[in-house]
């Protein structure tokens, strides 16, 4: 294996371990000392890959965004694409909520990471275009008058709210099995467009082009 490949492989191991420690921490923070110990690396080696802990956190978020984008690029039926959009948040609610909280904190208080934020937003815009295509295709398939914007907002609301509920140790005592609740959420979202039937001559997806332009 070349040095470049060794460097990239080590970097991937660092990101994976840092993400695991973040999820186990409970408070969304880790120390570089503990990360180095877990990886059996010198702390200075971490700085060969990341200039700061904040950069490490942002790289974890970018990696997660890339993973979501790849999942959304699967080319099958629109209903499966919509289901995956919701499951992404519901299958690992702790991760979805934690990384969102860290991103909000970094965006509000950290300087010097503009290039990486630009990289994150570029990947996210590409994913947004893909999500808009999936949603528009599903709404047309369902002959629904529900707008792309409203359906996308409903999916986000269900995903984020569902993640919060599934991540709550208090409410979990009342919810029972998480898997049945996840599938119930997905089923509700798949059925939602049918409650807004379109007339035969009704123009659908009037705001789709505006959404696409906003993501450019």
């Amino acid at each position: 294996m070349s040095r470049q490949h060794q460097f990239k492989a080590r970097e991937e191991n660092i990101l994976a371990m840092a993400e695991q420690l973040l999820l186990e921490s409970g408070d969304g923070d880790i120390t570089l000392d503990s990360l180095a110990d877990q990886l059996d690396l010198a702390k200075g080696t971490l700085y060969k890959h990341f200039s700061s802990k904040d950069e490490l956190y942002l790289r974890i978020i970018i990696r997660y965004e890339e993973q979501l984008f790849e999942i959304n690029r699967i080319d099958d039926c629109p209903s499966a694409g919509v289901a995956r959009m919701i499951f992404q948040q519901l299958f690992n609610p702790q991760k979805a909520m934690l990384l969102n909280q860290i991103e909000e904190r970094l965006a509000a208080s950290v300087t010097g990471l503009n290039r990486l934020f630009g990289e994150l937003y570029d990947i996210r815009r590409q994913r947004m275009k893909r999500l808009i295509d999936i949603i528009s295709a599903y709404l047309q398939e369902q002959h629904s008058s529900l707008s792309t914007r409203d359906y996308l907002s409903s999916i986000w609301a269900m995903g984020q709210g569902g993640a919060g509920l599934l991540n709550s140790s208090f409410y979990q005592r009342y919810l029972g099995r998480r898997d049945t609740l996840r599938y119930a959420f997905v089923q509700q979202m798949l059925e939602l467009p049918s409650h807004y039937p379109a007339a035969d001559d009704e123009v659908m997806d009037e705001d789709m082009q505006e959404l696409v332009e906003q993501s450019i």
Side-chain angles (χ1 to χ4, degrees):
M1 183 184 294
S2 68
R3 286 189 176 183
Q4 183 178 8
H5 284 111
Q6 288 177 342
F7 186 87
K8 295 298 292 183
R10 185 173 64 193
E11 187 167 282
E12 177 61 26
N13 287 338
I14 293 171
L15 288 170
M17 178 56 70
E19 181 182 294
Q20 179 181 328
L21 293 177
L22 271 175
L23 293 174
E24 293 173 354
S25 71
D27 59 1
D29 196 18
I30 60 174
T31 66
L32 293 183
D33 287 325
S34 65
L35 177 58
D37 287 343
Q38 287 292 326
L39 293 164
D40 196 22
L41 294 173
K43 186 176 178 181
T45 302
L46 299 179
Y47 287 109
K48 294 180 180 179
H49 295 268
F50 312 100
S51 62
S52 66
K53 188 165 65 172
D54 287 334
E55 179 182 335
L56 170 63
Y57 287 167
L58 191 50
R59 290 287 299 277
I60 291 172
I61 296 169
I62 290 172
R63 176 174 173 267
Y64 179 58
E65 191 70 34
E66 289 173 337
Q67 292 169 347
L68 295 181
F69 182 42
E70 288 304 313
I71 292 172
N72 291 132
R73 290 178 67 182
I74 296 173
D75 190 15
D76 52 10
C77 64
S79 61
V82 170
R84 277 193 298 272
M85 290 169 59
I86 307 167
F87 276 134
Q88 283 169 354
Q89 291 177 286
L90 299 183
F91 268 121
N92 199 333
Q94 180 193 9
K95 180 176 178 179
M97 296 190 68
L98 179 61
L99 295 187
N100 180 69
Q101 291 168 1
I102 293 174
E103 180 184 339
E104 292 296 322
R105 176 178 61 79
L106 293 176
S109 61
V110 176
T111 59
L113 296 178
N114 291 342
R115 181 185 62 81
L116 284 177
F117 268 111
E119 183 179 337
L120 171 64
Y121 296 155
D122 182 61
I123 298 167
R124 189 167 289 164
R125 280 190 292 266
Q126 294 180 58
R127 185 165 69 91
M128 276 296 301
K129 292 177 185 177
R130 176 61 181 157
L131 298 184
I132 291 166
D133 287 342
I134 293 171
I135 288 172
S136 178
Y138 185 64
L139 290 172
Q140 292 182 39
E141 183 182 274
Q142 296 295 306
H143 304 289
S144 176
S145 65
L146 189 64
S147 72
T148 303
R149 188 187 303 274
D150 287 348
Y151 193 35
L152 181 61
S153 299
S154 299
I155 289 172
W156 280 341
M158 177 66 80
Q160 195 159 1
L165 198 61
L166 291 167
N167 198 46
S168 168
S169 58
F170 177 83
Y171 287 108
Q172 183 57 39
R173 292 182 293 179
Y174 301 93
L175 296 179
R177 293 176 54 185
R178 293 189 178 195
D179 56 342
T180 57
L181 185 59
R182 290 188 185 102
Y183 283 106
F185 285 154
V186 172
Q187 191 62 39
Q188 289 177 50
M189 283 295 99
L190 289 174
E191 293 175 356
L192 181 62
S194 65
H195 296 294
Y196 299 84
D200 292 338
D201 59 347
E202 188 170 358
V203 177
M204 294 181 288
D205 267 351
E206 293 181 347
D207 62 353
M208 178 185 174
Q209 186 58 40
E210 182 181 350
L211 280 171
V212 170
E213 291 173 353
Q214 287 175 346
S215 64
I216 295 176

